Amino acid sequence: MQLIRHLPCPLNDTRKSALTIGNFDGLHRGHLALVKRAVAKAPELAPALMCFEPLPLNFFRPDRPVPRLMKLRDRFELCRDRGIVRLFQLRFDQAFAAQSPEEFVERIVIGGARAGHVIVGEDFRFGRRAAGDVDDLRRFGRENGFSVEIVTAVLTGNDGGDKISSTALRQALAEGELDRARHLLGRPYRISGRVLRGEQLGRKLGFPTINLRVPEPPAPSGVFAVQVHGLDSSTRLGVANLGKRPTVAGRDWLLEVHLIDFDGDLYGRHVAVDFIAKRRDEAHFNHLDEMIDEMQHDLRWAREQLHPQAT
């Protein structure tokens, strides 16, 4: 799959794009409905996805950033596995935001992505101050020779329910409702990354951990039962803390995972962590002995949560 971060950029084949456009943070079931329609246009058109970094809302509100749901690598791998062959992840800056709807279509959709077919959700907006809507997009398509497909929102139930959205997913994760998050995603919520070399405080306390950076600010936080993939052919079980580690004066967001019944040097390995259940919020302890005692409770709870899935 070709990753394109700047336009103009040579495309890896001569086909026009079946292009779906959006923020795609999390790639939940609503997003995947758009991806499916783009992939259905292959092989005549090249299935393509276009998203933006930073999120437009975070660009306009840097003091109140929206919690992030996934990293670029996770988006890249999921798009590739679903059949996308072109991933446009474009920088959203002042110049990009200042484009009129007409300029966005001419420069980005046609000139950059070479769209032959465009797939968007029914609430899609584009151009300066979100002035363009789906009716404008259809008109631009007729005038410029690309077709437009509007996909209705995916709902939480077969017979109705709420709209599946990144907002709903962020709320579910923030509230520790991981079963609800799994339903919105169609899979467990996952954070992946390369194992960092830390201060080895966990090992000194009897709880060695693997440490991963997370998308910031993250949507979930607290103590979780997790499944870890990528260490070997099996799924490993663990208990994880996602937070800033207030007891040891931590400042940066970090995902620390203690692997159950496993010990080894994993620095530099790329692993994926699936969140299965939440036990509690991150807490500040006055003494390390109090923290160690609570971590023992966390470990026993995680074993109880994960044992049925390991058998």
Side-chain angles (χ1 to χ4, degrees), residues 17-305:
S17 298
L19 179 68
T20 183
I21 310 171
N23 287 324
F24 296 109
D25 192 22
L27 278 174
H28 52 63
R29 287 167 51 207
H31 295 148
L32 294 177
L34 301 176
V35 170
K36 184 177 180 180
R37 297 306 308 149
V39 172
K41 293 297 181 179
E44 290 79 12
L45 300 177
L49 182 146
M50 180 179 289
C51 56
F52 312 99
E53 190 64 38
L55 294 178
L57 192 57
N58 286 357
F59 174 79
F60 291 116
R61 294 190 334 190
D63 57 325
R64 292 179 291 148
V66 172
R68 298 307 303 268
L69 296 168
M70 74 185 338
K71 297 180 179 179
L72 169 60
R73 178 165 179 160
D74 292 329
R75 180 184 292 118
F76 182 94
E77 293 182 350
L78 191 54
C79 285
R80 180 196 60 200
D81 293 346
R82 296 281 177 154
I84 294 293
V85 301
R86 295 172 184 162
L87 174 57
F88 297 89
Q89 178 152 307
L90 306 181
R91 179 166 181 77
F92 193 91
D93 55 18
Q94 190 61 52
F96 197 100
Q99 295 178 110
S100 68
E102 293 85 353
E103 289 171 329
F104 175 77
V105 170
E106 292 172 1
R107 296 175 180 176
I108 306 301
V109 176
I110 301 173
R114 294 191 65 242
H117 184 70
V118 176
I119 307 106
V120 295
E122 56 194 348
D123 57 354
F124 178 69
R125 309 286 300 198
F126 62 102
R128 183 172 53 246
R129 297 182 179 177
D133 60 15
V134 293
D135 290 330
D136 294 314
L137 186 64
R138 287 191 179 102
R139 176 170 56 84
F140 290 138
R142 290 191 298 269
E143 294 171 353
N144 292 279
F146 62 85
S147 54
V148 174
E149 181 177 355
I150 309 301
V151 178
T152 57
V154 178
L155 304 180
T156 53
N158 294 331
D159 299 320
D162 297 325
K163 174 185 174 181
I164 292 178
S165 66
S166 295
T167 299
L169 178 56
R170 291 186 185 101
Q171 181 180 15
L173 291 170
E175 295 174 355
E177 297 180 359
L178 294 178
D179 287 341
R180 181 179 167 216
R182 180 195 291 259
H183 177 69
L184 297 173
L185 286 165
R187 62 189 186 278
Y189 179 67
R190 168 175 290 189
I191 292 176
S192 72
R194 198 164 300 280
V195 177
L196 305 171
R197 186 173 295 277
E199 300 174 359
Q200 298 191 336
L201 177 61
R203 185 172 296 277
K204 296 173 185 176
L205 298 177
F207 289 87
T209 62
I210 58 173
N211 303 326
L212 283 75
R213 295 292 181 201
V214 299
E216 294 189 24
S221 64
V223 175
F224 302 86
V226 298
Q227 295 178 335
V228 182
H229 309 272
L231 301 180
D232 49 36
S233 59
S234 61
T235 298
R236 296 289 179 172
L237 309 180
V239 57
N241 183 85
L242 199 170
K244 291 190 173 182
R245 302 158 295 145
T247 302
V248 295
R251 292 180 296 176
D252 299 324
W253 288 99
L254 194 66
L255 176 60
E256 301 173 293
V257 183
H258 172 69
L259 296 166
I260 297 173
D261 301 326
F262 181 90
D263 192 15
D265 186 353
L266 301 172
Y267 296 121
R269 296 281 295 275
H270 189 274
V271 301
V273 180
D274 287 348
F275 288 66
I276 306 303
K278 180 175 180 178
R279 178 169 190 250
R280 61 178 175 86
D281 292 334
E282 190 177 37
H284 177 270
F285 299 93
N286 293 322
H287 303 284
L288 285 179
D289 288 345
E290 295 177 5
M291 184 174 74
I292 293 171
D293 183 62
E294 189 62 26
M295 290 165 66
Q296 293 284 2
H297 290 300
D298 295 337
L299 179 58
R300 286 193 291 270
W301 168 84
R303 287 182 183 273
E304 293 171 357
Q305 293 292 317

